[in-house]
Each structure stands twice: as structure tokens, then as C-alpha cells.
Amino acid sequence: MSDIGDLRIRPNEARGAPAAEDSPPQERKLFVQSFGCQMNVYDSQKMTDLLGREGYGAAAGPEDADLIILNTCHIRERASEKIFSELGRLRELKALRAVEGRKTKIVVAGCVAQAEGAEIHRRQSAVDVVVGPQSYHRLPELLRRAEREKHVVDTDFPVEDKFGFLARPTPAETRKRGVSAFVTVQEGCDKFCTFCVVPYTRGAEFSRPVAAILEEAAALTAAGVRELTLIGQNVNAYHGADGRGGEADLAALCAELARASGVKRIRYTTSHPNDMGEALIEAHRAQPKLMPFLHLPVQSGSDAVLAAMNRKHTSAGYIALCRRIRAARPDIALSSDFIVGFPGETDADFEATLQLIEDVGYASAFSFKYSPRPGTPGAERTDQIAEDVKSERLARLQALIESQRQAFNRAMVGRTVEVLIERRGRHPGQIAGKSPYLQAVQLEGGDELIGESVAVEIVATGPNSLFGKLASETTARPPAAAEQSARGLV
Ligand code: 5AD
Ligand code: SF4
């Protein structure tokens, strides 16, 4: 996405609330439910921190909460509709709690809030506050207003710096992030792909200054975070003030972050092919802390569809870019987003997408049926594709991606890779972490390894994770170029 219309909209949702163990005794309880992308997860954490300072502690679930925030996603129709059915359930919960004499405030935040505004109150009057992604730093004030007014809406794109308002998190707040944390470095998008709502909901592109990001990163690493994922709708278009009167690009920002010894791994997402500059490609060759995984959405393999989507790149241009990236970092795992059934997409267009997937060779990918979003040019087109055609194309595309994902994972068996241990595993005596290629890895090991990067020999693959054992050697062996070229087809 920039492509990302959301930073990777994941099929799963993240539920977030502050960890109870760090909270002082508090009267009011907060429950935040986050839908959609990683930036929403990050924003939910920031709202939790902010309201923690207003005296809100963790609720075990919505039933227990005096304040419920739905941090919403508008990227596809089903994502939006889900919010309204959830709000229906919350209305009943609110009424039930009222009978017991307990007040409940409901806040709708995020991209549905931005897109629908006051309409949300019309569809669901139990909602107290509607707040867009650029004004949630005003939540304490909006909640105070909601004590006096029935329906409060703030969908401004304020001039003040939201991040400046969100005070630096306290060590207790930061500890909740664990070993791997997101840091928003860039927000918004000026690219206006014709299917995408992001330029309307998240607004124009904005990059945070380097110093602010370094400060946030320092707080995170001091609290035990070892892996930073820099997030932005257009993250590789990052161009933040460098504090010396100039601007830093994403490669320069990564170099600054890599200087901190506490930072062991750096990732970033989501990138647009047209912003994948030489310096960043070179960083993948030269910067060992930059992980060999790149989410680089292409959306379609047909030049006609790419033009209709206003992507401003061609299929051949994208493939050539992947080739240059693999020349710099032969073992890099590539990932993408695909949309099937964009208006006017012919069978031949779709076959071109399958061909591109064959040519590139992906480690993983997200794929979606085109969903017309109100207000975007794609939704106005009269040549929408029938639902059954979209479904059939999606199934074929997903089967191909799945076979590539499994092949990529199987190729890991017998290799030794660095795994950053993030948490206990599902069973006693197990720990779990991520490979450099963003694969989940489970192994036997003690809790003392959480936060450590350890060499792990991969012994087997499962449907969703790899299984490994601690390798006797301490340093992981980098993959040989020959092993890589067998996998990377570009
Ligand atoms: N319909 C289907 N998928 C969409 N995406 C964005 N907008 C739409 C839409 N209207 C997908 C794109 C994007 C990802 C985050 O969501 O593939 O990269
Ligand atoms: Fe990404 Fe295009 Fe949406 Fe921007 S408009 S966020 S580039 S998909």
C-alpha cells in the first residue's frame, strides 16, 4: 500500500487491553477491540496508554468494561459490516449493565468512524463517541463532552501533531509490548488507488520526525523490546525531518535505529513498489538488522488492471524490481496483496496475475475479492465482476499462493536460522518466536530465552508454523546463494 490500504489487513482481529498486573487499583475499566491492520493495533495500544493515565484499568471483557472502544476497519465492506453487528451486541450489553446501575460508554474509533461520522449514531444510537484516526489523542476531552452531550463526533484532520500529544509511554505501559513492537513512522497516502479508501480515511501522507521515532524506540528497547516493525500505509515513502534541516528516508531511519544495541531486528510494512528506492534495496544487502522479509503489494499481474487501479507501475516493472531486491538479498522472503475481480478484469487479466505469482515466487500473500468502497472511483464502474467469478478466481489464486508458501516453509527444514523468542509456547516447556522470514517457530526451551535471538535448526513444518530445536552452534548459518536461487524464481 501504500498499499496497504491497511497495513496488512489480517484476517484475525486483535483484542487489546492493558495488562492487569501493572495497573494500580482503578475504578473504571476499559476494553479495546481492534479490527484490521497493524496500525489499528498500534493506535489501540496508544489509546489504552492514554486512557490508562485517565484512570482506566484493564477490563477482562466487554461485560466488565465501563468504556468500550471499537477501533474499526473500513477497507472492505465485510470489515465495516462486522462493526455494526458488533455494535448491535454492545447495545444489548449496555442496556443490561444499565439495569444493574452500571454506566457504559461506547466509542467507535478508526476508519469506519472517519468514513461514516455521525451516520454511526444514526445507525446505532447506543454509541457515545465517534472519533477518527487522526483525532483519537483528544479522547479524554471527547469523553468528558460525552458526559454532557448525547452524541459526540470528531473526525477532524487536526493541525496539531497527534503523536506529540500522545505522551511518551511509561515503562509500565511499554513493558506490555513484549519482545516485538510496532512503531508508526508514517501515516496516510496520496496515491489514490481507485479501489482504496485509505487516502480518504487516513488522510494525506505524513512522516514523523526521526528524533520522535528514536525516542519511542529507546523507550521500547529499555522495556525489553528487541524487534521493531516500522509501520505506515506508505512506509517506504517515509521522509521525516532529520533534525539537521534535511529529511531522512526509510533507509536512513533504519540505519539510525540499527545503531541502538537494544534493537536486534528491524522490519517495515507496508511498501509501495514505486517507492522502493535504491538506498532501501541496498540496506537489505548491507544492514544485518534489517530482516529479509518484504511485503510488497502488487495487487494484479495485468497491466490493464494495474492502470485501471491507478497503480502507476507495470507487471514487468514489478518483476524487475523483485529481481533487483533478490540480487541485493538473495534469501529475502517476498509477500504481496492481491485483489481479484477488480471491475473489468478479464480471464486473461486474471491469468496474468497467476503468471506473475509463478514468476516471482512468494513466501506468503494476502488476497481479497474486490469490494466496491463508496466514494472510490472503482465503485462507480459499471463493469463490476460477478461474485461467483470473483470467488472462483480467489480460490485458484489462494491455492497457488498456498503451494508456494508450503514450498517456502519446507525448504527451511534442515536449515539453522536465528529465531527471536517472543513468548511461551502452547505447551509447557515450549517457547515460540519468529524466524527472520517472519515464520512462526516453536521449539522446546526455557522462559529465560524469551527476548533472546537463538540459533534453531528447523526439523519439521506444520500448517501454520515451523518446528525446531536449539542448535548447538550459537550463530545461525546464512543460507548459501545456491539454496536461494532454487527457491526464488525471479
Ligand atoms: N477491495 C478488496 N481489497 C482491497 N484492498 C484495499 N481496498 C480493497 C477493496 N476495495 C486490499 C488491497 C490492499 C489490502 C490492505 O487490502 O490488496 O493492499
Ligand atoms: Fe495503498 Fe493505494 Fe490504498 Fe494508498 S491508495 S494505501 S497506495 S492501496
PDB file of all heavy atoms in Angstrom, residues 418-430:
ATOM      1  N   GLU A 418      18.189 -17.932  12.856  1.00  0.00           N
ATOM      2  CA  GLU A 418      18.045 -17.172  14.102  1.00  0.00           C
ATOM      3  C   GLU A 418      16.562 -17.032  14.402  1.00  0.00           C
ATOM      4  O   GLU A 418      15.809 -16.555  13.546  1.00  0.00           O
ATOM      5  CB  GLU A 418      18.596 -15.754  13.947  1.00  0.00           C
ATOM      6  CG  GLU A 418      20.079 -15.638  13.855  1.00  0.00           C
ATOM      7  CD  GLU A 418      20.789 -15.617  15.203  1.00  0.00           C
ATOM      8  OE1 GLU A 418      20.103 -15.546  16.248  1.00  0.00           O
ATOM      9  OE2 GLU A 418      22.021 -15.681  15.197  1.00  0.00           O
ATOM     10  N   VAL A 419      16.170 -17.420  15.586  1.00  0.00           N
ATOM     11  CA  VAL A 419      14.773 -17.222  15.982  1.00  0.00           C
ATOM     12  C   VAL A 419      14.755 -16.262  17.171  1.00  0.00           C
ATOM     13  O   VAL A 419      15.475 -16.473  18.148  1.00  0.00           O
ATOM     14  CB  VAL A 419      14.110 -18.571  16.352  1.00  0.00           C
ATOM     15  CG1 VAL A 419      12.700 -18.355  16.899  1.00  0.00           C
ATOM     16  CG2 VAL A 419      14.056 -19.477  15.119  1.00  0.00           C
ATOM     17  N   LEU A 420      13.977 -15.213  17.048  1.00  0.00           N
ATOM     18  CA  LEU A 420      13.792 -14.306  18.186  1.00  0.00           C
ATOM     19  C   LEU A 420      12.643 -14.867  19.014  1.00  0.00           C
ATOM     20  O   LEU A 420      11.506 -14.942  18.545  1.00  0.00           O
ATOM     21  CB  LEU A 420      13.477 -12.885  17.697  1.00  0.00           C
ATOM     22  CG  LEU A 420      13.199 -11.868  18.804  1.00  0.00           C
ATOM     23  CD1 LEU A 420      14.404 -11.662  19.714  1.00  0.00           C
ATOM     24  CD2 LEU A 420      12.757 -10.519  18.212  1.00  0.00           C
ATOM     25  N   ILE A 421      12.964 -15.264  20.237  1.00  0.00           N
ATOM     26  CA  ILE A 421      11.955 -15.912  21.075  1.00  0.00           C
ATOM     27  C   ILE A 421      11.052 -14.832  21.686  1.00  0.00           C
ATOM     28  O   ILE A 421      11.523 -13.897  22.338  1.00  0.00           O
ATOM     29  CB  ILE A 421      12.616 -16.759  22.198  1.00  0.00           C
ATOM     30  CG1 ILE A 421      13.637 -17.750  21.600  1.00  0.00           C
ATOM     31  CG2 ILE A 421      11.553 -17.476  23.018  1.00  0.00           C
ATOM     32  CD1 ILE A 421      13.054 -18.785  20.655  1.00  0.00           C
ATOM     33  N   GLU A 422       9.746 -14.978  21.441  1.00  0.00           N
ATOM     34  CA  GLU A 422       8.802 -13.927  21.851  1.00  0.00           C
ATOM     35  C   GLU A 422       7.982 -14.278  23.079  1.00  0.00           C
ATOM     36  O   GLU A 422       7.530 -13.406  23.814  1.00  0.00           O
ATOM     37  CB  GLU A 422       7.821 -13.646  20.694  1.00  0.00           C
ATOM     38  CG  GLU A 422       8.512 -13.061  19.482  1.00  0.00           C
ATOM     39  CD  GLU A 422       7.566 -12.845  18.319  1.00  0.00           C
ATOM     40  OE1 GLU A 422       6.423 -13.356  18.348  1.00  0.00           O
ATOM     41  OE2 GLU A 422       7.981 -12.161  17.366  1.00  0.00           O
ATOM     42  N   ARG A 423       7.711 -15.586  23.269  1.00  0.00           N
ATOM     43  CA  ARG A 423       6.783 -15.949  24.344  1.00  0.00           C
ATOM     44  C   ARG A 423       6.851 -17.440  24.616  1.00  0.00           C
ATOM     45  O   ARG A 423       7.534 -18.173  23.892  1.00  0.00           O
ATOM     46  CB  ARG A 423       5.348 -15.576  23.935  1.00  0.00           C
ATOM     47  CG  ARG A 423       4.956 -16.160  22.611  1.00  0.00           C
ATOM     48  CD  ARG A 423       3.616 -15.727  22.111  1.00  0.00           C
ATOM     49  NE  ARG A 423       3.447 -16.219  20.767  1.00  0.00           N
ATOM     50  CZ  ARG A 423       3.092 -17.457  20.440  1.00  0.00           C
ATOM     51  NH1 ARG A 423       2.829 -18.346  21.398  1.00  0.00           N
ATOM     52  NH2 ARG A 423       2.996 -17.835  19.187  1.00  0.00           N
ATOM     53  N   ARG A 424       6.141 -17.841  25.657  1.00  0.00           N
ATOM     54  CA  ARG A 424       5.992 -19.270  25.918  1.00  0.00           C
ATOM     55  C   ARG A 424       5.179 -19.897  24.793  1.00  0.00           C
ATOM     56  O   ARG A 424       4.324 -19.239  24.208  1.00  0.00           O
ATOM     57  CB  ARG A 424       5.214 -19.484  27.213  1.00  0.00           C
ATOM     58  CG  ARG A 424       6.039 -19.200  28.434  1.00  0.00           C
ATOM     59  CD  ARG A 424       5.243 -19.525  29.673  1.00  0.00           C
ATOM     60  NE  ARG A 424       6.052 -19.187  30.832  1.00  0.00           N
ATOM     61  CZ  ARG A 424       5.556 -18.964  32.023  1.00  0.00           C
ATOM     62  NH1 ARG A 424       4.265 -19.058  32.234  1.00  0.00           N
ATOM     63  NH2 ARG A 424       6.362 -18.657  33.020  1.00  0.00           N
ATOM     64  N   GLY A 425       5.415 -21.171  24.547  1.00  0.00           N
ATOM     65  CA  GLY A 425       4.622 -21.867  23.537  1.00  0.00           C
ATOM     66  C   GLY A 425       3.299 -22.338  24.117  1.00  0.00           C
ATOM     67  O   GLY A 425       2.952 -22.009  25.253  1.00  0.00           O
ATOM     68  N   ARG A 426       2.596 -23.130  23.332  1.00  0.00           N
ATOM     69  CA  ARG A 426       1.267 -23.569  23.761  1.00  0.00           C
ATOM     70  C   ARG A 426       1.358 -24.606  24.874  1.00  0.00           C
ATOM     71  O   ARG A 426       0.511 -24.686  25.737  1.00  0.00           O
ATOM     72  CB  ARG A 426       0.508 -24.142  22.565  1.00  0.00           C
ATOM     73  CG  ARG A 426      -0.767 -23.371  22.283  1.00  0.00           C
ATOM     74  CD  ARG A 426      -1.404 -23.814  20.993  1.00  0.00           C
ATOM     75  NE  ARG A 426      -0.825 -23.114  19.847  1.00  0.00           N
ATOM     76  CZ  ARG A 426      -0.667 -23.646  18.651  1.00  0.00           C
ATOM     77  NH1 ARG A 426      -0.997 -24.889  18.427  1.00  0.00           N
ATOM     78  NH2 ARG A 426      -0.158 -22.942  17.654  1.00  0.00           N
ATOM     79  N   HIS A 427       2.423 -25.408  24.846  1.00  0.00           N
ATOM     80  CA  HIS A 427       2.554 -26.488  25.832  1.00  0.00           C
ATOM     81  C   HIS A 427       3.684 -26.173  26.797  1.00  0.00           C
ATOM     82  O   HIS A 427       4.630 -25.466  26.441  1.00  0.00           O
ATOM     83  CB  HIS A 427       2.820 -27.809  25.111  1.00  0.00           C
ATOM     84  CG  HIS A 427       1.762 -28.112  24.088  1.00  0.00           C
ATOM     85  ND1 HIS A 427       0.468 -28.425  24.440  1.00  0.00           N
ATOM     86  CD2 HIS A 427       1.804 -28.093  22.731  1.00  0.00           C
ATOM     87  CE1 HIS A 427      -0.241 -28.613  23.336  1.00  0.00           C
ATOM     88  NE2 HIS A 427       0.540 -28.405  22.291  1.00  0.00           N
ATOM     89  N   PRO A 428       3.609 -26.720  28.022  1.00  0.00           N
ATOM     90  CA  PRO A 428       4.676 -26.469  28.998  1.00  0.00           C
ATOM     91  C   PRO A 428       6.033 -26.886  28.417  1.00  0.00           C
ATOM     92  O   PRO A 428       6.123 -27.908  27.724  1.00  0.00           O
ATOM     93  CB  PRO A 428       4.289 -27.365  30.188  1.00  0.00           C
ATOM     94  CG  PRO A 428       2.847 -27.706  29.999  1.00  0.00           C
ATOM     95  CD  PRO A 428       2.544 -27.602  28.543  1.00  0.00           C
ATOM     96  N   GLY A 429       7.055 -26.065  28.685  1.00  0.00           N
ATOM     97  CA  GLY A 429       8.393 -26.387  28.185  1.00  0.00           C
ATOM     98  C   GLY A 429       8.636 -25.939  26.758  1.00  0.00           C
ATOM     99  O   GLY A 429       9.729 -26.080  26.225  1.00  0.00           O
ATOM    100  N   GLN A 430       7.587 -25.372  26.133  1.00  0.00           N
ATOM    101  CA  GLN A 430       7.736 -24.894  24.751  1.00  0.00           C
ATOM    102  C   GLN A 430       7.885 -23.382  24.726  1.00  0.00           C
ATOM    103  O   GLN A 430       7.272 -22.683  25.535  1.00  0.00           O
ATOM    104  CB  GLN A 430       6.482 -25.238  23.954  1.00  0.00           C
ATOM    105  CG  GLN A 430       6.652 -26.428  23.045  1.00  0.00           C
ATOM    106  CD  GLN A 430       5.468 -26.579  22.109  1.00  0.00           C
ATOM    107  OE1 GLN A 430       4.520 -25.792  22.123  1.00  0.00           O
ATOM    108  NE2 GLN A 430       5.523 -27.600  21.293  1.00  0.00           N
TER     109      GLN A 430
END
